[in-house]
Structures are given as structure tokens and as C-alpha cells.
């Protein structure tokens, strides 16, 4: 594990995955961690939104994602682990796959359950879909 992607949603399970990574980092010199927060695209109906309003909504969404990532970056930085936060708007599974490729990650470390437990029941868990979609090992932390 040299370059690790951590999908982070701020949930307790995601925080446990970070803590596991902090402990594991002691065994891996020069580990680099990319923390990714993916926010869903707003579902808007009708033609009542100006492009300026849409831009403001997107900026606020990305700011919210950065606030969530700040906690993860604080934990990793306190453990002296090199880390970078990334905030995107999109669908979690595809964005995780894109990030793995873009950042050259060799491992994904993530919690087994996130904030969206209802959608996990309906669609299957995000964690299991990530396992099947990415081309690198995925370490799931319970």
C-alpha cells in the first residue's frame, strides 16, 4: 500500500477505516492517501433555475464535501501521513473508479457501511459494488 484511496463520507464506519489506515501506515513508509468525498448531483425538476443559481448550488455542495473531508485530513495529518482531499459531484462507484486511475492508487480502504443505509438496502451496498468495479485490492473495515 503506497498510494491509497479512501472514499470518506464522514460516517463512523468511514472513520474506523481511517483509524485502521493510520495504524497500518506505520508498516508502510511513504504512504500517500487520497481522501475522496463524492456528493450526489442535485435532482432538479423544471426550468426554474438560472445557471448562476446552479453554479452556487454546485459550489455549496463542494464546500460541504470539503468540510467532511477536513476531518479525515486532520486525522491523517496528525499521524504524519501525506494526504490530499478531493471533492467531486457524481455517482460514488464511478467516481471511485476514476480516482483510482487518476491518482495511481494501488489500494482502496473504506468502511463497509456509510451514511446511506436505506439505499444500501435497495441497491446493494456501495462497498460491495466498489469491490467489483475497481481494478485494485479493496480493504473493507467493519
Amino acid at each position: 500500500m503506497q498510494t491509497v484511496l479512501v472514499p470518506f463520507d464522514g460516517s463512523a464506519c468511514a472513520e474506523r477505516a481511517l483509524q485502521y489506515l493510520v495504524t497500518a501506515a506505520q508498516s508502510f513508509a511513504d504512504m500517500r492517501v487520497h481522501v475522496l468525498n463524492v456528493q450526489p448531483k442535485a435532482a432538479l425538476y423544471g426550468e426554474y433555475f438560472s445557471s448562476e443559481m446552479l453554479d452556487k448550488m454546485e459550489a455549496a455542495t463542494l464546500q460541504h464535501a470539503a468540510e467532511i473531508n477536513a476531518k479525515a485530513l486532520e486525522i491523517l495529518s496528525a499521524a504524519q501521513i501525506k494526504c490530499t482531499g478531493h471533492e467531486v459531484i457524481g455517482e460514488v462507484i464511478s467516481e471511485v473508479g476514476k480516482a483510482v486511475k487518476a491518482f495511481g492508487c494501488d489500494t482502496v480502504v473504506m468502511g463497509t457501511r456509510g451514511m446511506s443505509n436505506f439505499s444500501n438496502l435497495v441497491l446493494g451496498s456501495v462497498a460491495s459494488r466498489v469491490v467489483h468495479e475497481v481494478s485494485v485490492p479493496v480493504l473493507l473495515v467493519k
Side-chain angles (χ1 to χ4, degrees):
M1 284 195 305
Q2 292 300 312
T3 306
V4 179
L5 179 70
V6 178
F8 188 77
D9 65 0
S11 67
C13 200
E15 286 186 34
R16 285 192 299 275
L18 271 183
Q19 291 303 327
Y20 179 89
L21 189 58
V22 166
T23 302
Q26 297 170 2
S27 302
F28 297 95
D30 299 323
M31 180 187 288
R32 177 89 182 142
V33 177
H34 293 275
V35 179
L36 177 69
N37 182 276
V38 181
Q39 293 292 312
K41 187 170 184 150
L44 304 173
Y45 302 98
E47 298 177 16
Y48 306 106
F49 302 97
S50 68
S51 60
E52 181 182 325
M53 184 181 287
L54 294 174
D55 290 343
K56 286 182 180 180
M57 287 175 59
E58 184 173 300
T61 299
L62 291 173
Q63 177 60 37
H64 175 68
E67 290 167 6
I68 293 170
N69 269 355
K71 184 171 187 176
L73 296 173
E74 181 181 323
I75 292 168
L76 293 168
S77 295
Q80 299 179 341
I81 298 171
K82 295 178 219 152
C83 57
T84 307
H86 307 277
E87 298 82 27
V88 295
I89 297 173
E91 195 268 326
V92 175
I93 310 305
S94 63
E95 294 300 331
V96 167
K98 289 177 192 175
V100 164
K101 291 176 186 170
F103 307 132
C105 297
D106 56 33
T107 310
V108 175
V109 175
M110 64 187 295
T112 56
R113 292 276 180 198
M115 295 287 207
S116 58
N117 287 330
F118 178 73
S119 66
N120 286 345
L121 294 173
V122 176
L123 302 172
S125 79
V126 170
S128 68
R129 290 179 58 202
V130 168
V131 168
H132 295 288
E133 295 294 326
V134 300
S135 59
V136 299
V138 178
L139 174 62
L140 299 176
V141 179
K142 196 169 182 180

